[in-house]
Amino acid sequence: MKASLGRFINGLRALARRRRRDEDLDHELQSYLESAIEANMAAGMSRADATRAARLAMGSLDAVKTDTRAAGWESMLETSGQDLRYSARLLRRSPGFTAAAVLTLGLGIGGTTAAFSVVDALFVRGPEGVTNPGTLRRLYVKRNEGTSARSPYGISNIWADAELIRKDGSAFADVAAYRVPEPVDLGRGESAARVRASVVSERYFPLLGIRPAAGRLFLPEDERVLGARPVAVISDALWQSQFARASEAIGREILINGRPLQIVGVAARGFLGIDADPVGVWIPSAMAFALGLEDTEGDWRVRNDVITDSSLIARLAPGTSEVAAASQTNTVLSHAAHAELDQTPEVSIQPISLAGYPLDTRTTNLALWTALAACLVLLIACANVANLLLARTVTRRRELAMRLSLGAGTSRIARQHLTESAVLGLLGCGVGLAIAAWAMDMMREFPIPPDATRIDARVLGVSLAITALTSVLFGVLPASRASRLDPMAGLKNAQAIGDMRRTRMSRTLVAIQVSLSFALLVGAGLFVRSLDRIAAVRSGVAWNRLLVISTNIGPDRYGTLPRQEFFALAQTRLAAMPGIEHVSTTTTPPFGNRYSSGPYDIEGVKQIGRHSGASLNYVGPDYFETIGTRIVRGRAILATDTPDAEPVAVVSESMAAEMAPYGDPIGMCVNMYEGPCSRVVGIAETQRDHLLFERGRPMLFRAQAQAPHQISHGVPTILARTNGAPESHQAAIRAALQGLRTDLPYVSVEPMAERLRSTRLPFRLGASIFSAFGVLALALAGVGLYGLLGYFVAERTAEIGVRRALGAPSESVVALVTRQSLLPVVIGVVAGLAVAFVGSRYLGSMLFGVEPRDAVSFVGAGLFLVFTALIATLAPAFRATRIDPIVALRQD
Amino acid sequence: MPPREQTATDLVQGTLHMLILRTLALEPMHGYGIGVRLEQVSQGVFKVNAGSLFPALVRLERSGWVAAEWRTTENNRRAKYYALTPDGRAALKREQRDWEKQTEAISRILKTSLDQLA
């Protein structure tokens, strides 16, 4: 051990003082020689004879030096250095080849790196700061009502479920519930800000293993009595930005939605919750009601008719399998209550990841497919470069044969080739990182945490690993081929016959490349067409030109401008602003999950069945115009629908369909919750919100002016329709409204498109990723095919010359070349067809309105590839027909 | 990384190291001197040429078994002298013991078979 360490250090020393070491050796050998000469002279030889004898005995001085130098391990490095210099020189000498190879590798490595880092951040690397994320799970409780689920969440209260599961204690070590982070106002007036708050159960922090950075986290007392203990825990980031990490922050009050909460602690540094949106403030569940985050009466945590945007998390007990935990949970939940609702609970358990809410199989699958697509692209890139290298081996045949016959070892030749691959790989890695950085920049559009789109040590490490793997993948084949070259055959020019084995290998590589590209192109086609179909679905809402304006103005502060007047004035001001077409109000903006839903009945109709459930929305005049929902029949809600007029309602087409069996919905009077029944005066197009797959929930729209007092004098959300990009109006609107009242909490002005992003995300992500990879694959395959097919033709120049000389017409030459070159392409397409045919079945769940075996995608991909291949072949084929037979034959 | 073995002509593989160490155990010597001494002591059986001697010396030096130093020879010329280090002495002892054990075993095997043949 000690000796080998010594050898290592001495080797380093020798490397560092290479010049001195070489001089030293020169002197030593000189002195050796002189000693030998002296000895010879002492034995009676003349000086000349003695010198000659000594030289003879010693042999070649250079050989001795080389052998001696090779004795240390550092000589390996030295030869590697030589290889490196040699490779660099070679690559510089053929810039076209180098650029093609480096770019190809860069695209492959860059794509893989970007895909890896996003997949890693979203699905693999757990949320920051959480202890042992491997045993954390998210539970989804779905209640199947009869045959169809009403929504992906069903009607159930996760908070009540969490308590049940936790009390039972047999399925999980711990269970907690929390509300998905929602925006709240921090402070008031000009300096008001928006942060995300998450209402959590007491077990939340202990379950995740979060420690306080200062102060304390929540206690069981904090969540016992509603509104009793106004406390909050803030994130380290908020502590930093608001209090500069001062310890006095603990115990201070902050205003959340206008309500004072006492800061009792700071969560561990780096912990920002476990969802994609970073959390600034955590609030115990008992305070949510007081803060207006949940406006249901009574303790919303135990009512089972409340849909909250909540999530259930649990820690697996050691030794308990997911399956066992799920079935135990199902048992616990079906025993408890809800019997009258005829619901069967169905729990699904999934790992926690930032992409997690609502994590469905579509998103998880997408991650896998992304990774797979990236790997395919990388493989294509490898095949491409391997082929380029193989082709070069042939042009370098003479040089290689020369080196072999001059005594270079085969291992040395192979090593030199691998060095070249490594150099190409590293250059490709550099380009790849730049491409990855650019790609990740593009991905900022998607709601992924910002640190997912950064190149950090982890990403760098992975891309280097990918590079190493890649270099071996594309380098080994040509290297082994080169070192097995027969020097004699190489020195004689055997070019005319062509290396059949190499050709076969190239053809195989082309076929593989084509088949992989085909599979990717089919995937891209399927996703792009899904996205097309989604865009074609009418959401019933002109979401791309809509701004959602809300402020949590409290009932308790009238300040300079009473609340009702504020909203009236706000609407007038907005309507007068340039670029604003329509302004209206609503209690529940679309694409949220905050509808108050419940049963309704029709006046005069006794039995309308179990299906009767609708979401109620109170809207202002001009609502349907503003939001872009068509009135199919009848009229909209108008300004003339005052409190004194007859209460009216508009129903959605989906609700009208439910009512249709009992007559024409228009003219019916509908009862829902309190108050007199409202006369249906119009039918509106169904708003397909939340999930594009839903039929669209039945909706009942009533006039806000005719609503019960707490709603007609409540806090509506203002909707504004712009005539251009809504983003350009955000700042002006905020400033205008914030100026109306000095004590106003934060006024949020949000484009509706923001709310839609998460719904469309899987498709957009899928379409962008597959399209990007598809285009990449196509580009790579195109470049590869062009280069290789061109090469096939070039290799047969002499043969074509002979054929021409013997009188073959140019058409037959073109046909010959094309037929032979296209064969691997056709084989590749057929193989790709098989791969895509099988693979696309698994893609089915992620598609929208497109069959997995969509003929357009398949045929399109096939035509595209064959077309590319044809162009790649025909150009060199025609060039071949113009070859002068004499020149071709004289080539050797 | 262990030094790559190289075939030393007329020498049992791997023994050159031991013989050099043994030679140096008596007194520090320069390269040529080592070669001459080996030839003399073996009564001309082993001729060690420079191509084997110097790589072996580099390996021994790298292992820390010998230390080199430039000195002036009796003929007033500068030469690199090699001397045994304490590590080298220990290594020599080890190798010598192993060698003796092996040769003893080998000769025993050879003798038995010869007796049986006879």
Side-chain angles (χ1 to χ4, degrees):
Chain A
M1 199 67 237
K2 199 177 123 200
S4 53
L5 184 71
R7 271 200 295 274
F8 177 69
I9 291 170
N10 284 328
L12 284 185
R13 206 172 285 154
L15 264 184
R17 298 184 226 144
R18 209 168 47 195
R19 278 255 321 264
R20 247 201 72 194
R21 183 202 63 184
D22 286 350
E23 281 173 16
D24 222 43
L25 187 60
D26 282 349
H27 286 149
E28 190 173 9
L29 291 177
Q30 196 55 45
S31 133
Y32 180 94
L33 199 60
E34 279 166 21
S35 298
I37 295 168
E38 264 169 34
N40 286 348
M41 283 168 69
M45 288 190 197
S46 71
R47 175 140 203 121
D49 284 349
T51 308
R52 214 183 46 210
R55 283 248 159 91
L56 254 162
M58 189 156 170
S60 154
L61 203 63
D62 275 334
V64 174
K65 276 189 208 166
T66 311
D67 285 348
T68 308
R69 273 201 293 262
W73 64 266
E74 77 278 2
S75 70
M76 271 284 281
L77 281 190
E78 273 175 336
T79 54
S80 298
Q82 282 169 15
D83 285 348
L84 219 58
R85 278 192 299 278
Y86 187 68
S87 303
R89 211 162 50 224
L90 274 179
L91 294 180
R92 249 204 323 272
R93 224 166 38 193
S94 42
F97 160 81
T98 309
V102 167
L103 195 66
T104 305
L105 285 175
L107 288 172
I109 293 172
T112 324
T113 303
F116 163 80
S117 61
V118 172
V119 166
D120 176 57
L122 287 184
F123 303 99
V124 184
R125 194 201 311 164
E128 185 139 357
V130 169
T131 316
N132 203 357
T135 59
L136 275 182
R137 293 291 184 273
R138 243 183 239 278
L139 306 189
Y140 295 92
V141 184
K142 184 168 148 186
R143 277 175 163 106
N144 297 320
E145 196 180 0
T147 47
S148 68
R150 302 180 57 121
S151 84
Y153 314 110
I155 300 190
S156 74
N157 192 335
I158 278 169
W159 291 73
D161 293 340
E163 254 332 273
L164 286 171
I165 302 168
R166 201 172 74 82
K167 281 206 183 107
D168 171 70
S170 60
F172 294 98
D174 206 348
V175 181
Y178 73 94
R179 293 176 54 111
V180 171
E182 47 209 312
V184 295
D185 300 331
L186 177 68
R188 181 184 293 169
E190 298 277 310
S191 64
R194 258 249 150 142
V195 295
R196 298 227 173 231
S198 186
V199 171
V200 300
S201 74
E202 185 265 325
R203 295 308 303 162
Y204 177 84
F205 286 117
L207 171 71
L208 295 175
I210 303 298
R211 296 171 178 287
R216 68 165 173 89
L217 301 175
F218 295 132
L219 304 172
E221 299 89 278
D222 292 331
E223 67 169 354
R224 212 155 282 155
V225 185
L226 282 185
R229 290 169 71 108
V231 294
V233 167
I234 60 172
S235 72
D236 189 86
L238 196 70
W239 192 29
Q240 167 75 47
S241 66
Q242 299 275 322
F243 303 101
R245 307 178 72 87
S247 54
E248 300 89 71
I250 309 299
R252 283 271 289 277
E253 275 187 350
I254 46 168
L255 280 182
I256 298 291
N257 284 353
R259 283 298 200 98
L261 289 183
Q262 190 188 30
I263 299 172
V264 290
V266 178
R269 195 166 196 166
F271 179 69
L272 294 168
I274 55 175
D275 295 271
D277 293 320
V279 177
V281 181
W282 287 273
I283 298 167
S285 60
M287 288 310 298
F289 173 74
L291 292 176
L293 287 181
E294 182 51 62
D295 30 27
T296 330
E297 288 161 42
D299 192 344
W300 58 274
R301 296 176 294 180
V302 295
R303 288 175 55 166
N304 61 21
D305 59 342
V306 175
I307 300 174
T308 59
D309 223 353
S310 298
S311 193
L312 219 163
I313 50 174
R315 175 84 68 185
L316 279 176
T320 311
S321 74
E322 275 188 25
V323 179
S327 80
Q328 178 59 26
T329 309
N330 280 336
T331 315
V332 170
L333 293 182
S334 45
H335 281 324
H338 311 329
E340 77 279 8
L341 290 174
D342 178 31
Q343 292 172 329
T344 336
E346 190 190 318
V347 171
S348 64
I349 301 184
Q350 294 189 352
I352 282 195
S353 62
L354 286 180
Y357 194 83
L359 184 88
D360 52 3
T361 43
R362 201 176 297 123
T363 323
T364 350
N365 282 342
L366 193 65
L368 293 174
W369 282 102
T370 305
L372 195 72
C375 289
L376 284 186
V377 169
L378 194 66
L379 276 180
I380 294 173
C382 285
N384 229 339
V385 178
N387 244 341
L388 285 172
L389 281 172
L390 268 179
R392 240 165 67 96
T393 311
V394 177
T395 52
R396 276 171 65 188
R397 187 189 314 219
R398 268 173 211 267
E399 169 221 326
L400 284 172
M402 187 69 82
R403 291 186 71 190
L404 278 167
S405 46
L406 284 180
T410 52
S411 73
R412 193 64 209 284
I413 297 272
R415 221 165 72 201
Q416 198 272 317
H417 271 74
L418 283 179
T419 308
E420 212 177 304
S421 309
V423 171
L424 280 177
L426 276 178
L427 289 174
C429 184
V431 173
L433 280 176
I435 290 173
W438 173 79
M440 282 150 105
D441 215 47
M442 304 295 288
M443 282 190 261
R444 258 165 232 229
E445 199 199 326
F446 301 115
I448 43 182
D451 57 325
T453 53
R454 216 171 33 213
I455 294 193
D456 54 7
R458 202 174 143 107
V459 174
L460 202 68
V462 166
S463 69
L464 280 176
I466 293 171
T467 305
L469 184 78
T470 316
S471 306
V472 170
L473 263 179
F474 72 73
V476 159
L477 213 66
S480 76
R481 195 35 59 88
S483 60
R484 266 185 288 146
L485 192 76
D486 174 9
M488 287 321 286
L491 283 175
K492 289 187 293 194
N493 196 339
Q495 190 112 351
I497 299 127
D499 181 345
M500 282 319 285
R501 267 188 314 173
R502 190 201 74 83
T503 310
R504 210 179 316 131
M505 191 178 295
S506 285
R507 281 173 203 270
T508 314
L509 284 173
V510 167
I512 290 173
Q513 222 172 312
V514 167
S515 66
L516 295 180
S517 309
F518 182 82
L520 274 180
L521 282 175
V522 167
L526 290 174
F527 270 105
V528 167
R529 281 168 57 76
S530 286
L531 202 63
D532 257 13
R533 294 284 161 90
I534 289 169
V537 169
R538 262 193 74 87
S539 63
V541 175
W543 51 270
N544 52 346
R545 289 200 282 139
L546 214 50
L547 282 168
V548 182
I549 302 152
S550 61
T551 177
N552 288 310
I553 183 167
D556 46 342
R557 301 183 311 276
Y558 282 87
T560 46
L561 187 65
R563 196 162 71 178
Q564 282 324 105
E565 285 170 39
F566 166 77
F567 278 107
L569 191 57
Q571 285 186 67
T572 322
R573 284 281 165 86
L574 282 179
M577 284 176 80
I580 308 281
E581 291 180 341
H582 295 282
V583 178
S584 187
T585 59
T586 174
T587 44
T588 319
F591 307 121
N593 202 21
R594 311 286 298 275
Y595 286 102
S596 77
S597 301
Y600 67 91
D601 60 67
I602 304 166
E603 194 84 344
V605 179
K606 284 249 173 335
Q607 185 67 295
I608 72 162
R610 282 197 64 261
H611 53 46
S612 55
S615 298
L616 180 59
N617 195 359
Y618 289 99
V619 300
D622 214 15
Y623 168 83
F624 294 100
E625 277 291 313
T626 308
I627 204 163
T629 302
R630 271 185 305 131
I631 295 292
V632 181
R633 210 146 64 80
R635 68 167 176 93
I637 284 169
L638 305 171
T640 50
D641 295 318
T642 55
D644 310 321
E646 186 196 22
V648 294
V650 168
V651 295
S652 65
E653 276 183 291
S654 47
M655 185 168 168
E658 280 192 4
M659 296 162 73
Y662 311 99
D664 184 356
I666 291 189
M668 285 181 179
C669 207
V670 177
N671 280 308
M672 192 169 174
Y673 296 144
E674 71 236 75
C677 72
S678 30
R679 183 78 54 199
V680 176
V681 294
I683 298 174
E685 183 185 5
T686 303
Q687 295 177 355
R688 258 170 252 275
D689 62 344
H690 195 65
L691 282 183
L692 295 153
F693 308 93
E694 259 186 44
R695 294 172 263 119
R697 68 175 95 216
M699 296 244 275
L700 181 68
F701 300 93
R702 282 174 161 164
Q704 201 194 351
Q706 298 174 337
H709 185 269
Q710 90 261 18
I711 291 168
S712 61
H713 290 74
V715 182
T717 299
I718 301 175
L719 297 170
R721 166 100 163 260
T722 59
N723 63 8
E727 288 79 9
S728 57
H729 298 284
Q730 271 175 289
I733 291 177
R734 220 198 126 211
L737 299 192
Q738 208 90 47
L740 291 181
R741 242 175 76 165
T742 49
D743 64 341
L744 211 58
Y746 186 81
V747 176
S748 147
V749 183
E750 188 193 13
M752 184 62 93
E754 290 281 309
R755 291 174 168 239
L756 261 170
R757 280 213 313 203
S758 65
T759 306
R760 285 161 182 255
L761 179 69
F763 302 103
R764 301 226 6 232
L765 210 57
S768 349
I769 289 169
F770 269 83
S771 309
F773 284 147
V775 167
L776 210 60
L778 191 70
L780 291 183
V783 169
L785 282 177
Y786 193 81
L788 271 152
L789 299 184
Y791 199 83
F792 283 168
V793 175
E795 245 196 338
R796 305 181 61 171
T797 305
E799 182 201 328
I800 291 169
V802 173
R803 279 172 191 270
R804 296 279 290 147
L806 292 178
S810 48
E811 305 86 67
S812 82
V813 168
V814 170
L816 172 88
V817 169
T818 313
R819 201 167 50 235
Q820 297 223 344
S821 305
L822 280 187
L823 191 68
V825 175
V826 170
I827 293 174
V829 167
V830 171
L833 201 71
V835 171
F837 207 64
V838 174
S840 67
R841 251 195 327 176
Y842 301 97
L843 220 59
S845 67
M846 293 187 289
L847 302 175
F848 181 82
V850 178
E851 284 297 305
R853 283 165 189 179
D854 181 47
V856 175
S857 305
F858 274 77
V859 173
L863 283 181
F864 221 117
L865 277 173
V866 172
F867 187 66
T868 311
L870 259 180
I871 292 180
T873 323
L874 284 181
F878 278 113
R879 216 180 312 127
T881 60
R882 284 198 299 272
I883 293 172
D884 181 353
I886 308 296
V887 174
L889 289 173
R890 212 190 278 144
Q891 217 180 29
D892 278 329
Chain B
M1 204 180 295
R4 200 150 40 102
E5 286 308 329
Q6 210 159 9
T7 338
T9 30
D10 305 328
L11 263 178
V12 178
Q13 251 194 350
T15 51
L16 182 59
H17 285 178
M18 184 174 67
L19 296 185
I20 294 173
L21 288 176
R22 177 75 198 127
T23 312
L24 293 177
L26 307 174
E27 56 174 329
M29 283 184 157
H30 53 72
Y32 183 74
I34 296 171
V36 170
R37 178 67 60 84
L38 277 174
E39 198 177 331
Q40 279 173 357
V41 174
S42 71
Q43 295 175 347
V45 174
F46 295 147
K47 277 201 171 72
V48 185
N49 62 24
S52 325
L53 182 65
F54 285 104
L57 282 171
V58 167
R59 273 184 228 121
L60 288 172
E61 199 183 348
R62 289 291 165 77
S63 307
W65 289 351
V66 302
E69 186 188 14
W70 284 92
R71 273 199 237 158
T72 314
T73 63
E74 60 273 22
N75 296 344
N76 221 5
R77 217 189 6 258
R78 288 183 59 70
K80 202 172 180 183
Y81 274 78
Y82 295 89
L84 216 54
T85 63
D87 274 355
R89 209 168 285 283
L92 173 61
K93 218 177 257 175
R94 221 165 36 235
E95 292 210 355
Q96 205 166 342
R97 202 171 47 232
D98 287 351
W99 174 256
E100 273 158 14
K101 220 186 277 169
Q102 278 174 16
T103 45
E104 204 182 314
I106 290 168
S107 61
R108 215 179 296 138
I109 292 168
L110 289 176
K111 263 189 204 130
T112 0
S113 36
L114 277 177
D115 289 348
Q116 277 164 353
L117 279 173

